[in-house]
Amino acid sequence: MSGLRRATQEKLDHILDEAECYRALALACEDEARAFRRRCENGSIVSPAHGAFARTIYWESLNPREKALHIIRAEAARHPSWIFRSHCAALIWGLDVPYPLLDTTSIIAARPPRPCIIAARRPSPRDEIESVDGIKVTSFWQTVSECLREAPFSYGLAIADSALRRTNQTRANLMSHLEKTRGYPGIRQARFIASYADGRSENGGESRVRAFFIAHGYPIPELQVDLPNPIEPARPFRVDYYWELSHLLRIAGEFDGKQKYQDPAMLRDKTIVDSLIEERQRESRLTLLGIPVLRFTYEDLSQPARLDRLLKASGITPDRDAAQRWRDQWRAVTHTRC
């Protein structure tokens, strides 16, 4: 490798190292961008956003939420006047944003850009703007309101639940905050979603499964219920969902997301194997109480017919009239946009 090529490579590595430290994509001047694009051809570098780069191995290690945050940080550095809104602002505020919402970057800008991956609107006098980690975003509750006014029911419920969980507020508090955006398009939809919000839901997956129960007329379970441990009474078991359908039929439900096996904070110094063994023991002891455990995954959410069969096979049956009432109400609030 010639001295010039070595110097160029060292410069690019330095730019990438700094970007990774900041958890953002690397931005470059035109000469550096040309060098990055040449490396994109051999697969060692990727360009997830126009004029922004990352090492392929680093980029592929990120989940969709982390990737979206990297793009937002890079765009914020490149366009300091942009204000991030809706689900993008929700990410910055640390809310649970379902992955399918992350394909578009939503901003407020006086001069909206042309790329179709950017959803832009012009500033409004009613916008409340704050700065989080140096990034301009809509205020927390304006962000929540915009998300609920724009998102499908299950996605909106995930965001509403996480807003209550993060702020330790109640459903009534959320309704009060929504009143500040009365008259905005979609506010009836936002209120409808908020009427089901529950901060006890611990993650977006749990919220989306509960949204399925609601929309399909299934009994809504109690959330985060402590059940007795027959072997160690001082250490009760907490389950994500709990149905007590009769004195003879009690069912627990658990949402299994990958995070519980990947996040060091959730593993709490245990290995994945240790965590799985502990989970098996926990489940076997619940069966001693005559409480079967249903397990739900993100894959179930993508195959609602399978989720429907699982619930029915366990003895949890839907109320078709309740499901029809929900559909009628949802149709009413989504067809009337204010």
Side-chain angles (χ1 to χ4, degrees):
M1 181 183 292
S2 69
L4 179 59
R5 288 181 60 194
R6 185 180 297 108
T8 300
Q9 184 61 52
E10 288 176 355
K11 187 174 184 179
L12 298 185
D13 283 340
H14 177 70
I15 293 170
L16 291 166
D17 288 343
E18 282 197 330
E20 289 176 15
C21 184
Y22 182 53
R23 305 289 289 170
L25 296 177
L27 302 177
C29 68
E30 186 52 41
D31 288 344
E32 294 159 350
R34 280 196 294 270
F36 274 128
R37 285 193 288 270
R38 285 194 294 271
R39 284 155 180 77
C40 286
E41 294 173 2
N42 66 25
S44 63
I45 299 293
V46 292
S47 179
H50 179 70
F53 305 91
R55 293 184 178 95
T56 301
I57 191 168
Y58 173 76
W59 184 249
E60 291 179 349
S61 72
L62 305 175
N63 65 39
R65 187 172 291 114
E66 292 168 333
K67 288 179 178 179
L69 282 168
H70 276 60
I71 292 172
I72 289 170
R73 293 185 189 114
E75 296 291 10
R78 182 159 47 187
H79 304 284
S81 65
W82 283 9
I83 300 160
F84 293 85
R85 56 172 290 271
S86 190
H87 59 274
C88 290
L91 273 180
I92 300 297
W93 282 114
L95 298 179
D96 267 330
V97 180
Y99 289 170
L101 295 178
L102 302 178
D103 293 336
T104 302
T105 302
S106 296
I107 65 165
I108 299 171
R111 294 183 177 180
R114 290 183 178 180
C116 60
I117 59 168
I118 304 291
R121 69 165 173 82
R122 296 186 184 280
S124 162
R126 295 178 69 177
D127 287 328
E128 299 174 355
I129 310 305
E130 298 186 27
S131 178
V132 178
D133 296 329
I135 298 174
K136 292 180 181 177
V137 294
T138 48
S139 68
F140 184 86
W141 291 111
Q142 180 180 335
T143 296
V144 173
S145 175
E146 288 196 347
C147 289
L148 270 57
R149 287 187 277 123
E150 297 173 354
F153 180 71
S154 69
Y155 300 164
L157 189 62
I159 293 169
D161 285 352
S162 66
L164 296 187
R165 184 171 65 250
R166 187 180 184 278
T167 60
N168 198 29
Q169 295 198 23
T170 66
R171 187 181 301 165
N173 295 138
L174 174 55
M175 288 293 196
S176 177
H177 288 296
L178 290 178
E179 282 304 302
K180 297 175 183 178
T181 53
R182 180 188 296 181
Y184 272 41
I187 190 60
R188 290 187 65 199
Q189 171 180 312
R191 289 195 195 104
F192 182 77
I193 295 173
S195 71
Y196 291 98
D198 193 322
R200 292 176 297 173
S201 188
E202 292 190 333
N203 57 61
E206 289 181 25
S207 299
R208 291 179 60 196
V209 169
R210 192 171 91 259
F212 179 91
F213 302 152
I214 294 167
H216 291 80
Y218 282 98
I220 302 175
E222 286 296 314
L223 305 182
Q224 304 305 323
V225 174
D226 286 335
L227 298 176
N229 182 337
I231 309 301
E232 300 176 82
R235 300 177 61 191
F237 297 125
R238 174 162 290 191
V239 295
D240 297 334
Y241 312 107
Y242 179 67
W243 291 268
E244 189 162 350
L245 303 175
S246 72
H247 71 285
L248 295 176
L249 184 56
R250 296 177 297 161
I251 299 171
E254 292 278 85
F255 180 79
D256 287 332
K258 293 180 181 179
Q259 186 180 15
K260 69 162 68 173
Y261 305 115
Q262 297 174 334
D263 187 341
M266 297 187 73
L267 286 170
R268 291 173 296 183
D269 297 326
K270 294 179 293 192
T271 66
I272 294 175
V273 172
D274 289 338
S275 183
L276 288 169
I277 291 173
E278 184 180 282
E279 203 168 78
R280 294 283 191 276
Q281 290 176 334
R282 175 174 176 268
E283 192 164 318
S284 69
R285 291 172 185 178
L286 282 173
T287 61
L288 296 176
L289 301 173
I291 303 175
V293 179
L294 300 182
R295 295 198 169 276
F296 307 103
T297 66
Y298 279 111
E299 287 72 21
D300 291 323
L301 288 169
S302 66
Q303 301 181 54
R306 185 172 78 178
L307 184 51
D308 196 57
R309 289 193 297 270
L310 172 63
L311 290 163
K312 290 176 179 175
S314 70
I316 305 174
T317 56
D319 181 333
R320 297 189 185 280
D321 291 337
Q324 185 60 53
R325 284 194 299 274
W326 184 91
R327 285 193 294 270
D328 291 343
Q329 291 168 351
W330 179 248
R331 190 178 299 114
V333 299
T334 54
H335 280 67
T336 305
R337 298 300 296 165
C338 62

